[in-house]
């Protein structure tokens, strides 16, 4: 059995690294996909607790403000999950293409 030359070693390492990237990207795609399908509920808005001598703290936040904040929070979480999903889909595509190209070169180098 012939010893692998430097080119075969390089191609094998690139294939290994891209396979790891495909695995990581796949896990992240699933995670961000679940974030899109099952988003976390927004945390509640807490009004300040009134003190015994503080009469101005008894004012509560209006309901419309709380609803607007929760809507903004939902949109932020949706945007973050969508961005993560797209980034990891691009990672999967690029890593897969790089893997395929290097794997074919490695197979061709082993045949000769």
């Amino acid at each position: 059995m012939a010893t692998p030359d430097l080119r075969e070693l390089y191609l094998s390492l690139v294939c290994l690294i891209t396979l790891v990237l495909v695995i990581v990207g796949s896990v992240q795609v699933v995670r961000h996909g679940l974030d899109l399908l099952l988003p976390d509920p927004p945390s509640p808005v807490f009004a300040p607790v009134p003190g015994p001598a503080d009469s101005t703290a008894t004012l509560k936040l209006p309901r419309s403000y709380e609803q607007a904040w929760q809507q903004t929070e939902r949109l932020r979480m949706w945007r973050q999950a969508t961005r993560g999903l797209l980034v990891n889909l691009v990672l999967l595509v690029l890593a897969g293409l790089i893997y395929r190209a290097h794997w074919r070169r490695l197979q061709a180098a082993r045949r000769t």
Side-chain angles (χ1 to χ4, degrees):
M1 178 172 192
T3 59
D5 61 349
L6 193 57
R7 179 183 166 106
E8 285 184 26
L9 183 62
Y10 164 76
L11 292 171
S12 298
L13 285 174
V14 170
C15 287
L16 177 67
I17 290 168
T18 54
L19 280 178
V20 169
L21 287 174
V22 166
I23 292 169
V24 169
S26 299
V27 169
Q28 292 298 320
V29 163
V30 169
R31 186 176 73 87
H32 288 295
L34 286 175
D35 283 347
L36 281 174
L37 293 175
L38 306 169
D40 292 334
S43 57
V45 177
F46 295 107
V49 178
D54 191 7
S55 62
T56 60
T58 58
L59 298 174
K60 291 196 172 194
L61 295 174
R63 188 76 175 156
S64 61
Y65 173 78
E66 184 175 335
Q67 289 171 345
W69 183 84
Q70 287 179 347
Q71 179 67 21
T72 303
E73 188 66 17
R74 272 193 293 276
L75 287 173
R76 186 192 63 78
M77 288 189 297
W78 180 82
R79 182 177 178 267
Q80 187 176 9
T82 304
R83 175 188 260 175
L85 183 68
L86 291 175
V87 165
N88 285 293
L89 284 173
V90 169
L91 172 70
L92 279 175
V93 169
L94 291 178
L97 291 173
I98 292 170
Y99 170 79
R100 185 173 152 199
H102 283 77
W103 183 253
R104 286 184 177 177
R105 286 183 184 169
L106 180 62
Q107 294 302 315
R110 287 185 177 166
R111 286 187 199 124
T112 58

